[in-house]
Amino acid sequence: MSNLATLKKETSITQQDFRTSMGQFATGVTVVSTKDQQGAPYGMTASSFGSISLDPPLVQWSITTKSFSYPIFSAASTFAINILSTDQQNISDIFTKPIDRFENVSWEIGMEGLPLIHGCLSWIECSVENQIVCGDHTIFIGRVRRARYFEKKPLLFWRGGYEAVQ
Ligand SMILES: Cc1cc2nc3c(=O)[nH]c(=O)nc-3n(C[C@H](O)[C@H](O)[C@H](O)COP(=O)(O)O)c2cc1C
C-alpha cells in the first residue's frame, strides 16, 4: 500500500471520535479581542491559543472560517489574548453570543486601541504576523508586542465543560 493510501486509511475516523478524543485535552480559555473596521471593540471566546516561539515572541490561535467573527479578525492588524480566570466563566459565555459583547463586561483600552478585559490572568497584545488557511480554520500568528500578567487562577475547558484548578 502506498504511503498516501496508508495515511487515508489511518485518518478515517468519525468527526465524533475526533471531537471526543480532542476534548480530553484540557485547555485554558481566552477571549481574543480586536477592533473592527469602524474602530469598535470586538472579541470571541477561543481555547485554541498557544505559544509558538520565544525569540521572536510568537503566539497562535485559530478560528473557524464559517464564523461571523472571521472576517473581522481577518481584516485586523492587531489582536489581544485575554486569558480568563476561574471567576470569568460568564465572560466566556458572553463572548460566544450574538450580542454586543463588550457592553456586558468591564474593559480598558490597550495598545493601538485594543480592548482589554478586566479581571483576566494575562493580556497578550500582538500584531498579526501571518494568517494561514488550514482545513476549515484559519490560524492567526501574532508577534507579541506587550504582555502583562496578574496573580489569579485559570478557567479551564475539558471534555466540553468548564473546570477550575483546585
Ligand atoms: C470554551 C470555548 C472555546 C472556543 N474556542 C474556539 C476557537 O478556538 N476557535 C473558534 O473558531 N471558535 C471557538 N469557540 C467558539 C466561538 O467562541 C463561537 O463559535 C463564536 O463566538 C460564535 O460567534 P460568531 O459566529 O458570532 O463568531 C469556542 C467556544 C468556547 C465556549
Side-chain angles (χ1 to χ4, degrees):
M1 202 184 294
S2 72
N3 283 345
L4 184 62
T6 310
L7 188 65
K8 276 190 175 158
K9 189 161 183 278
E10 283 173 357
T11 56
S12 64
I13 55 166
T14 64
Q15 286 198 352
Q16 190 54 52
D17 282 350
F18 180 54
R19 270 175 181 273
T20 307
S21 301
M22 295 308 294
Q24 301 282 71
F25 186 59
T27 65
V29 183
T30 77
V31 169
V32 187
S33 60
T34 193
K35 275 187 315 186
D36 69 16
Q37 285 193 299
Q38 286 70 48
Y42 189 80
M44 188 194 95
T45 300
S47 58
S48 55
F49 167 68
S51 68
I52 300 178
S53 162
L54 187 58
D55 184 15
L58 299 173
V59 297
Q60 64 82 30
W61 70 284
S62 62
I63 184 171
T64 168
T65 47
K66 294 187 192 100
S67 66
F68 174 85
S69 304
Y70 173 60
I72 298 172
F73 283 103
S74 192
S77 59
T78 55
F79 64 80
I81 303 288
N82 301 260
I83 301 181
L84 300 186
S85 59
T86 310
D87 54 358
Q88 291 183 307
Q89 190 178 316
N90 64 323
I91 293 183
S92 175
D93 290 334
I94 286 169
F95 281 83
T96 64
K97 290 183 183 154
I99 54 173
D100 187 340
R101 298 168 178 176
F102 276 95
E103 273 284 297
N104 292 284
V105 298
S106 169
W107 57 282
E108 65 183 69
I109 293 176
M111 180 190 87
E112 293 178 27
L114 283 174
L116 303 174
I117 298 169
H118 289 152
C120 288
L121 255 71
S122 291
W123 291 327
I124 301 163
E125 295 163 271
C126 304
S127 53
V128 176
E129 185 87 354
N130 206 352
Q131 296 186 33
I132 303 166
V133 179
C134 199
D136 56 10
H137 277 58
T138 288
I139 302 167
F140 283 87
I141 297 176
R143 183 176 285 245
V144 179
R145 301 293 179 187
R146 192 157 68 158
R148 282 173 281 172
Y149 60 92
F150 309 92
E151 287 307 320
K152 293 201 152 227
K153 289 203 167 181
L155 180 63
L156 302 181
F157 199 71
W158 180 59
R159 290 184 171 170
Y162 297 103
E163 298 280 339
V165 173
Q166 300 304 319

Short mmCIF file of all heavy atoms in Angstrom, two decimals, residues 27-30 32 42-49 61-70 73 92-98 101 137 155-157 162, ligand 1:
data_model
loop_
_atom_site.label_atom_id
_atom_site.label_comp_id
_atom_site.label_asym_id
_atom_site.label_seq_id
_atom_site.Cartn_x
_atom_site.Cartn_y
_atom_site.Cartn_z
N THR A 27 -7.64 22.64 28.27
CA THR A 27 -7.02 23.91 27.84
C THR A 27 -7.44 25.02 28.79
O THR A 27 -8.39 24.87 29.57
CB THR A 27 -7.50 24.31 26.42
OG1 THR A 27 -8.90 24.58 26.49
CG2 THR A 27 -7.21 23.23 25.40
N GLY A 28 -6.78 26.16 28.67
CA GLY A 28 -7.29 27.38 29.26
C GLY A 28 -8.36 27.95 28.34
O GLY A 28 -8.68 27.38 27.29
N VAL A 29 -8.94 29.07 28.75
CA VAL A 29 -9.96 29.74 27.93
C VAL A 29 -9.54 31.20 27.78
O VAL A 29 -9.15 31.84 28.76
CB VAL A 29 -11.36 29.65 28.59
CG1 VAL A 29 -12.41 30.29 27.69
CG2 VAL A 29 -11.74 28.21 28.91
N THR A 30 -9.64 31.70 26.55
CA THR A 30 -9.30 33.10 26.30
C THR A 30 -10.45 33.80 25.59
O THR A 30 -11.31 33.15 24.99
CB THR A 30 -8.06 33.25 25.38
OG1 THR A 30 -8.44 32.97 24.02
CG2 THR A 30 -6.92 32.31 25.79
N VAL A 32 -10.24 36.39 22.54
CA VAL A 32 -9.36 37.11 21.62
C VAL A 32 -10.10 38.38 21.22
O VAL A 32 -11.26 38.32 20.79
CB VAL A 32 -9.03 36.28 20.36
CG1 VAL A 32 -7.98 37.00 19.53
CG2 VAL A 32 -8.54 34.89 20.74
N TYR A 42 -14.22 44.33 19.57
CA TYR A 42 -14.84 43.07 19.18
C TYR A 42 -14.04 41.93 19.82
O TYR A 42 -12.83 42.05 20.03
CB TYR A 42 -14.86 42.91 17.65
CG TYR A 42 -15.70 41.73 17.26
CD1 TYR A 42 -17.08 41.82 17.22
CD2 TYR A 42 -15.11 40.48 17.06
CE1 TYR A 42 -17.86 40.71 16.95
CE2 TYR A 42 -15.89 39.36 16.79
CZ TYR A 42 -17.26 39.49 16.74
OH TYR A 42 -18.04 38.39 16.51
N GLY A 43 -14.71 40.83 20.14
CA GLY A 43 -13.99 39.70 20.73
C GLY A 43 -14.74 38.40 20.58
O GLY A 43 -15.95 38.39 20.31
N MET A 44 -14.02 37.31 20.78
CA MET A 44 -14.59 35.96 20.63
C MET A 44 -13.88 35.00 21.58
O MET A 44 -12.66 35.07 21.75
CB MET A 44 -14.37 35.49 19.19
CG MET A 44 -15.06 34.21 18.84
SD MET A 44 -14.43 33.54 17.29
CE MET A 44 -13.20 32.40 17.92
N THR A 45 -14.63 34.11 22.19
CA THR A 45 -14.03 33.08 23.06
C THR A 45 -13.26 32.07 22.23
O THR A 45 -13.76 31.59 21.21
CB THR A 45 -15.15 32.35 23.84
OG1 THR A 45 -15.85 33.32 24.62
CG2 THR A 45 -14.60 31.27 24.74
N ALA A 46 -12.03 31.74 22.67
CA ALA A 46 -11.21 30.77 21.94
C ALA A 46 -10.31 30.01 22.90
O ALA A 46 -9.69 30.60 23.79
CB ALA A 46 -10.37 31.46 20.88
N SER A 47 -10.25 28.69 22.69
CA SER A 47 -9.34 27.88 23.52
C SER A 47 -8.19 27.31 22.68
O SER A 47 -7.38 26.55 23.18
CB SER A 47 -10.12 26.74 24.18
OG SER A 47 -10.74 25.96 23.19
N SER A 48 -8.13 27.71 21.42
CA SER A 48 -7.10 27.18 20.52
C SER A 48 -5.77 27.92 20.64
O SER A 48 -4.85 27.67 19.87
CB SER A 48 -7.59 27.28 19.07
OG SER A 48 -7.97 28.61 18.78
N PHE A 49 -5.68 28.81 21.61
CA PHE A 49 -4.48 29.65 21.79
C PHE A 49 -3.27 28.83 22.28
O PHE A 49 -3.41 27.90 23.07
CB PHE A 49 -4.82 30.73 22.82
CG PHE A 49 -3.63 31.46 23.35
CD1 PHE A 49 -2.89 32.30 22.53
CD2 PHE A 49 -3.24 31.30 24.66
CE1 PHE A 49 -1.78 32.97 23.01
CE2 PHE A 49 -2.13 31.97 25.16
CZ PHE A 49 -1.40 32.80 24.33
N TRP A 61 -3.49 31.28 17.43
CA TRP A 61 -4.83 30.78 17.75
C TRP A 61 -5.53 30.56 16.41
O TRP A 61 -5.04 31.03 15.37
CB TRP A 61 -5.59 31.78 18.64
CG TRP A 61 -6.00 33.04 17.96
CD1 TRP A 61 -5.19 34.10 17.64
CD2 TRP A 61 -7.31 33.38 17.48
NE1 TRP A 61 -5.90 35.06 16.99
CE2 TRP A 61 -7.21 34.67 16.89
CE3 TRP A 61 -8.54 32.74 17.52
CZ2 TRP A 61 -8.31 35.30 16.33
CZ3 TRP A 61 -9.64 33.38 16.97
CH2 TRP A 61 -9.52 34.66 16.38
N SER A 62 -6.64 29.83 16.43
CA SER A 62 -7.31 29.57 15.15
C SER A 62 -8.81 29.78 15.28
O SER A 62 -9.39 29.68 16.36
CB SER A 62 -7.00 28.15 14.67
OG SER A 62 -7.50 27.21 15.59
N ILE A 63 -9.40 30.09 14.13
CA ILE A 63 -10.84 30.42 14.09
C ILE A 63 -11.49 29.69 12.92
O ILE A 63 -10.88 29.57 11.85
CB ILE A 63 -11.02 31.95 13.95
CG1 ILE A 63 -12.50 32.33 14.00
CG2 ILE A 63 -10.36 32.49 12.71
CD1 ILE A 63 -12.72 33.85 14.09
N THR A 64 -12.71 29.23 13.15
CA THR A 64 -13.44 28.61 12.03
C THR A 64 -13.81 29.69 11.01
O THR A 64 -14.32 30.76 11.39
CB THR A 64 -14.69 27.84 12.52
OG1 THR A 64 -15.50 27.51 11.37
CG2 THR A 64 -15.53 28.63 13.48
N THR A 65 -13.55 29.40 9.75
CA THR A 65 -13.80 30.40 8.71
C THR A 65 -15.30 30.61 8.46
O THR A 65 -15.68 31.53 7.76
CB THR A 65 -13.10 29.99 7.40
OG1 THR A 65 -13.39 28.61 7.15
CG2 THR A 65 -11.61 30.16 7.49
N LYS A 66 -16.13 29.75 9.09
CA LYS A 66 -17.59 29.90 8.92
C LYS A 66 -18.18 30.92 9.90
O LYS A 66 -19.35 31.25 9.81
CB LYS A 66 -18.29 28.55 9.13
CG LYS A 66 -17.94 27.53 8.07
CD LYS A 66 -18.79 26.27 8.23
CE LYS A 66 -18.27 25.14 7.40
NZ LYS A 66 -17.49 24.18 8.18
N SER A 67 -17.39 31.36 10.88
CA SER A 67 -17.97 32.20 11.93
C SER A 67 -18.19 33.64 11.45
O SER A 67 -17.51 34.12 10.53
CB SER A 67 -17.07 32.20 13.16
OG SER A 67 -15.85 32.81 12.86
N PHE A 68 -19.10 34.32 12.12
CA PHE A 68 -19.36 35.74 11.90
C PHE A 68 -18.08 36.54 12.19
O PHE A 68 -17.78 37.53 11.53
CB PHE A 68 -20.51 36.17 12.83
CG PHE A 68 -20.78 37.63 12.83
CD1 PHE A 68 -21.61 38.19 11.86
CD2 PHE A 68 -20.23 38.46 13.80
CE1 PHE A 68 -21.87 39.55 11.85
CE2 PHE A 68 -20.48 39.83 13.80
CZ PHE A 68 -21.30 40.38 12.82
N SER A 69 -17.32 36.07 13.19
CA SER A 69 -16.13 36.80 13.64
C SER A 69 -14.98 36.77 12.64
O SER A 69 -14.11 37.64 12.68
CB SER A 69 -15.61 36.18 14.95
OG SER A 69 -16.60 36.15 15.93
N TYR A 70 -14.94 35.75 11.79
CA TYR A 70 -13.75 35.54 10.95
C TYR A 70 -13.37 36.75 10.10
O TYR A 70 -12.22 37.21 10.14
CB TYR A 70 -13.94 34.28 10.09
CG TYR A 70 -12.83 34.10 9.09
CD1 TYR A 70 -11.51 33.98 9.51
CD2 TYR A 70 -13.09 34.11 7.73
CE1 TYR A 70 -10.48 33.84 8.59
CE2 TYR A 70 -12.07 33.97 6.81
CZ TYR A 70 -10.78 33.84 7.24
OH TYR A 70 -9.76 33.73 6.34
N PHE A 73 -11.65 39.50 12.27
CA PHE A 73 -10.25 39.24 12.64
C PHE A 73 -9.34 39.23 11.41
O PHE A 73 -8.19 39.69 11.48
CB PHE A 73 -10.14 37.92 13.41
CG PHE A 73 -10.58 38.04 14.83
CD1 PHE A 73 -11.82 37.58 15.23
CD2 PHE A 73 -9.77 38.65 15.78
CE1 PHE A 73 -12.25 37.71 16.55
CE2 PHE A 73 -10.18 38.79 17.10
CZ PHE A 73 -11.42 38.32 17.47
N SER A 92 -16.70 34.06 29.31
CA SER A 92 -16.52 33.08 28.23
C SER A 92 -17.84 32.88 27.49
O SER A 92 -17.87 32.85 26.25
CB SER A 92 -16.02 31.75 28.80
OG SER A 92 -15.95 30.79 27.78
N ASP A 93 -18.94 32.76 28.23
CA ASP A 93 -20.26 32.56 27.60
C ASP A 93 -20.69 33.79 26.80
O ASP A 93 -21.19 33.66 25.68
CB ASP A 93 -21.31 32.23 28.66
CG ASP A 93 -21.09 30.84 29.26
OD1 ASP A 93 -20.48 29.99 28.57
OD2 ASP A 93 -21.50 30.61 30.41
N ILE A 94 -20.49 34.97 27.39
CA ILE A 94 -20.90 36.22 26.70
C ILE A 94 -20.23 36.32 25.32
O ILE A 94 -20.86 36.69 24.34
CB ILE A 94 -20.53 37.45 27.57
CG1 ILE A 94 -21.49 37.57 28.75
CG2 ILE A 94 -20.51 38.74 26.74
CD1 ILE A 94 -21.06 38.58 29.81
N PHE A 95 -18.95 35.91 25.26
CA PHE A 95 -18.19 36.10 24.01
C PHE A 95 -18.40 34.97 23.00
O PHE A 95 -17.61 34.79 22.07
CB PHE A 95 -16.71 36.36 24.31
CG PHE A 95 -16.49 37.80 24.73
CD1 PHE A 95 -16.70 38.20 26.04
CD2 PHE A 95 -16.13 38.75 23.79
CE1 PHE A 95 -16.54 39.53 26.40
CE2 PHE A 95 -15.95 40.08 24.15
CZ PHE A 95 -16.17 40.46 25.45
N THR A 96 -19.50 34.20 23.20
CA THR A 96 -19.95 33.26 22.16
C THR A 96 -21.33 33.69 21.63
O THR A 96 -21.84 33.05 20.71
CB THR A 96 -20.09 31.83 22.71
OG1 THR A 96 -21.12 31.81 23.70
CG2 THR A 96 -18.80 31.31 23.30
N LYS A 97 -21.92 34.73 22.24
CA LYS A 97 -23.33 35.05 21.93
C LYS A 97 -23.46 36.19 20.92
O LYS A 97 -22.60 37.07 20.86
CB LYS A 97 -24.05 35.46 23.22
CG LYS A 97 -24.24 34.30 24.16
CD LYS A 97 -25.01 34.72 25.40
CE LYS A 97 -25.14 33.55 26.36
NZ LYS A 97 -25.30 34.00 27.74
N PRO A 98 -24.58 36.19 20.15
CA PRO A 98 -24.80 37.27 19.17
C PRO A 98 -25.37 38.52 19.83
O PRO A 98 -26.51 38.92 19.59
CB PRO A 98 -25.80 36.64 18.19
CG PRO A 98 -26.57 35.65 19.02
CD PRO A 98 -25.63 35.15 20.09
N ARG A 101 -21.03 42.27 22.82
CA ARG A 101 -20.30 41.56 23.87
C ARG A 101 -19.59 42.52 24.84
O ARG A 101 -19.61 42.31 26.05
CB ARG A 101 -19.32 40.59 23.22
CG ARG A 101 -20.06 39.53 22.39
CD ARG A 101 -19.15 38.72 21.49
NE ARG A 101 -19.92 37.70 20.77
CZ ARG A 101 -19.41 36.89 19.85
NH1 ARG A 101 -18.14 36.97 19.52
NH2 ARG A 101 -20.16 36.00 19.26
N HIS A 137 -10.40 26.00 9.26
CA HIS A 137 -9.98 27.08 10.16
C HIS A 137 -8.89 27.94 9.51
O HIS A 137 -8.26 27.52 8.55
CB HIS A 137 -9.42 26.50 11.48
CG HIS A 137 -10.50 26.17 12.47
ND1 HIS A 137 -11.52 25.30 12.20
CD2 HIS A 137 -10.70 26.60 13.74
CE1 HIS A 137 -12.31 25.21 13.25
NE2 HIS A 137 -11.85 26.00 14.21
N LEU A 155 -9.38 29.68 34.30
CA LEU A 155 -10.56 28.92 33.90
C LEU A 155 -10.08 27.84 32.93
O LEU A 155 -9.27 28.12 32.04
CB LEU A 155 -11.54 29.85 33.19
CG LEU A 155 -12.85 29.24 32.69
CD1 LEU A 155 -13.68 28.69 33.86
CD2 LEU A 155 -13.66 30.28 31.92
N LEU A 156 -10.55 26.61 33.12
CA LEU A 156 -10.16 25.50 32.24
C LEU A 156 -11.35 25.00 31.44
O LEU A 156 -12.52 25.18 31.86
CB LEU A 156 -9.59 24.34 33.06
CG LEU A 156 -8.38 24.63 33.93
CD1 LEU A 156 -7.94 23.36 34.65
CD2 LEU A 156 -7.23 25.20 33.11
N PHE A 157 -11.07 24.37 30.31
CA PHE A 157 -12.12 23.74 29.49
C PHE A 157 -11.68 22.31 29.20
O PHE A 157 -10.56 22.09 28.72
CB PHE A 157 -12.30 24.54 28.19
CG PHE A 157 -13.61 24.27 27.51
CD1 PHE A 157 -14.80 24.73 28.05
CD2 PHE A 157 -13.65 23.56 26.33
CE1 PHE A 157 -16.01 24.50 27.42
CE2 PHE A 157 -14.86 23.32 25.68
CZ PHE A 157 -16.04 23.79 26.23
N TYR A 162 -16.60 23.49 31.60
CA TYR A 162 -15.64 24.30 32.36
C TYR A 162 -15.17 23.55 33.61
O TYR A 162 -15.93 22.80 34.21
CB TYR A 162 -16.28 25.62 32.79
CG TYR A 162 -16.66 26.49 31.62
CD1 TYR A 162 -17.98 26.60 31.20
CD2 TYR A 162 -15.68 27.19 30.92
CE1 TYR A 162 -18.33 27.39 30.11
CE2 TYR A 162 -16.01 27.99 29.84
CZ TYR A 162 -17.34 28.08 29.44
OH TYR A 162 -17.67 28.86 28.36
C1 LIG B 1 -14.50 27.32 25.62
C2 LIG B 1 -14.71 27.68 24.18
C3 LIG B 1 -13.62 27.69 23.30
C4 LIG B 1 -13.78 28.03 21.96
N1 LIG B 1 -12.67 28.06 21.14
C5 LIG B 1 -12.81 28.40 19.84
C6 LIG B 1 -11.67 28.51 18.99
O1 LIG B 1 -10.53 28.32 19.41
N2 LIG B 1 -11.86 28.85 17.68
C7 LIG B 1 -13.13 29.08 17.18
O2 LIG B 1 -13.26 29.37 15.98
N3 LIG B 1 -14.23 29.01 17.97
C8 LIG B 1 -14.09 28.71 19.29
N4 LIG B 1 -15.18 28.66 20.11
C9 LIG B 1 -16.49 29.00 19.55
C10 LIG B 1 -16.64 30.52 19.38
O3 LIG B 1 -16.42 31.22 20.58
C11 LIG B 1 -18.06 30.78 18.87
O4 LIG B 1 -18.31 29.95 17.78
C12 LIG B 1 -18.19 32.15 18.37
O5 LIG B 1 -18.05 33.09 19.41
C13 LIG B 1 -19.54 32.28 17.71
O6 LIG B 1 -19.70 33.58 17.35
P1 LIG B 1 -19.67 34.14 15.87
O7 LIG B 1 -20.18 33.11 14.88
O8 LIG B 1 -20.57 35.28 16.08
O9 LIG B 1 -18.26 34.48 15.58
C14 LIG B 1 -15.05 28.36 21.45
C15 LIG B 1 -16.16 28.36 22.33
C16 LIG B 1 -15.98 28.03 23.67
C17 LIG B 1 -17.18 28.06 24.60
#
